[in-house]
Amino acid sequence: MPFAQVNDARMFYTDEGEGSPVLMVHGWSCDGSDWAWQIPALKAAGYRCITPDLRGHGRSSVPAGGYTPRQYAADLAGLIGQLGCGPVVAIGHSMGGATVVALAVEHPEVVRAVVPVDSAYGFESETAVTLPQMTQAFRGPGGHDVALQFASAAFYGPATPAHLPPLHARRIAAFDQEVMAAALEGLILPADQFGEKPRSETYLRRVAAPALAFRAGRNDPASMAAWERAQFQHPKSKAIGWEGTGHWLHQERPGEFNSLLIAWLASLD
């Protein structure tokens, strides 16, 4: 299977299908297999699916640092350059949503459109106060148990299919503890972060490409979707809020997600 050396990371990725390129970026603790629910539908619709494992995740290497959306985006820009496949539609979930937004802002020449899915930005300011205590616990002897408790409390809804939490828990159990902590800290603690809501608003307004945003159902998705749509400047941008879903909404409702995504992509042509 293919690997690419990008910056100081050896990145694993898969490259399937033919047609217009779609880059699919997973979130915290996950890997490219998160998009197994989307790849067949996108390939059937005529898209090439490029699915990397971010640094420190999955089968990619674990560098000493660089666990921020901007650095992930720099890695992905390097991968796109090596593959010669830009501009791409960049789809990202959670931390991956912040990453594809950073890709669109910092490397606009490689992004045709962006699809942030229940993305890790728009946090209230108190998150920056409470996060360090949790991430420090991630680094301790019981760090994996703390991370599993966090995921269980934060990511699922009453309608989440029973097979998904054990799947995600297995990956958390194998996750490098330093990356586990640093990847969350990278969303909101660096001086140039755009995770806090006021900074998110300023940063999202710099996205020139059309955007299709999704919000999951635990935290008032209609309001969050309306807030997110107000930031994106392109007239073809759209935001969707789904009641009753957990954080991995593209896995909980893949048929609806895929249909909406493919129809929106077609509308850009």
Side-chain angles (χ1 to χ4, degrees), residues 7 16 69 86 90 189 224 241:
N7 302 311
E16 308 174 55
L189 297 187
M224 281 299 293

Side-chain angles (χ1 to χ4, degrees), residues 30-61:
C30 298
D31 59 37
S33 65
D34 258 22
W35 301 104
W37 288 257
Q38 281 65 57
I39 289 171
L42 285 166
K43 286 170 62 178
Y47 292 96
R48 175 185 177 186
C49 298
I50 301 159
T51 314
D53 291 354
L54 296 175
R55 60 171 56 216
H57 293 72
R59 293 163 182 80
S60 293
S61 66

Side-chain angles (χ1 to χ4, degrees), residues 74-90:
D75 294 344
L76 294 173
L79 177 65
I80 292 166
Q82 290 187 35
L83 296 177
C85 63
V88 303
V89 173

Side-chain angles (χ1 to χ4, degrees), residues 8-265:
D8 60 340
R10 185 172 185 258
M11 179 178 287
F12 174 81
Y13 67 95
T14 58
D15 188 349
E16 308 174 55
E18 298 179 358
S20 183
V22 176
L23 179 75
M24 312 176 79
V25 185
H26 64 82
W28 176 82
S29 80
C30 298
D31 59 37
S33 65
D34 258 22
W35 301 104
W37 288 257
Q38 281 65 57
I39 289 171
L42 285 166
K43 286 170 62 178
Y47 292 96
R48 175 185 177 186
C49 298
I50 301 159
T51 314
D53 291 354
L54 296 175
R55 60 171 56 216
H57 293 72
R59 293 163 182 80
S60 293
S61 66
V62 185
Y67 297 101
T68 68
R70 282 184 174 85
Q71 183 58 58
Y72 301 137
D75 294 344
L76 294 173
L79 177 65
I80 292 166
Q82 290 187 35
L83 296 177
C85 63
V88 303
V89 173
I91 307 173
H93 173 245
S94 192
M95 184 182 78
T99 296
V100 298
V101 163
L103 186 66
V105 171
E106 309 295 341
H107 308 274
E109 71 283 357
V110 302
V111 176
R112 174 184 170 226
V114 65
V115 183
V117 181
D118 211 32
S119 295
Y121 49 69
F123 299 120
E124 300 300 334
S125 297
E126 55 264 23
T127 303
V129 177
T130 60
L131 183 67
Q133 182 178 358
M134 180 175 68
T135 55
Q136 197 55 39
F138 286 177
R139 294 181 169 97
H144 287 100
D145 290 336
V146 176
L148 288 167
Q149 291 167 10
F150 161 70
S152 179
F155 292 151
Y156 305 110
T160 297
H163 69 278
L164 289 180
L167 171 65
H168 304 148
R170 189 174 189 276
R171 291 187 297 198
I172 290 174
F175 199 16
D176 181 277
Q177 284 181 257
E178 179 56 33
V179 178
M180 182 190 301
L184 282 188
E185 291 170 347
L187 296 172
I188 203 165
L189 297 187
D192 63 352
Q193 58 89 6
F194 59 93
E196 287 184 88
K197 186 170 279 189
R199 293 191 181 198
S200 301
E201 292 170 351
T202 300
Y203 200 75
L204 293 178
R205 290 178 191 134
R206 295 174 58 192
V207 176
L212 172 64
F214 288 85
R215 283 289 167 180
R218 287 179 57 89
N219 298 307
D220 193 0
S223 294
M224 281 299 293
W227 167 80
E228 197 162 3
R229 174 61 188 91
Q231 315 314 317
F232 292 122
Q233 302 299 301
H234 195 284
K236 289 192 175 181
S237 294
K238 185 176 181 180
I240 297 168
W242 276 351
E243 296 285 353
T245 59
H247 186 47
W248 279 267
L249 62 146
H250 57 301
Q251 297 177 6
E252 293 194 15
R253 294 165 64 174
E256 294 167 86
F257 181 91
N258 296 345
S259 294
L260 287 166
L261 171 63
I262 290 168
W264 183 75
L265 293 177

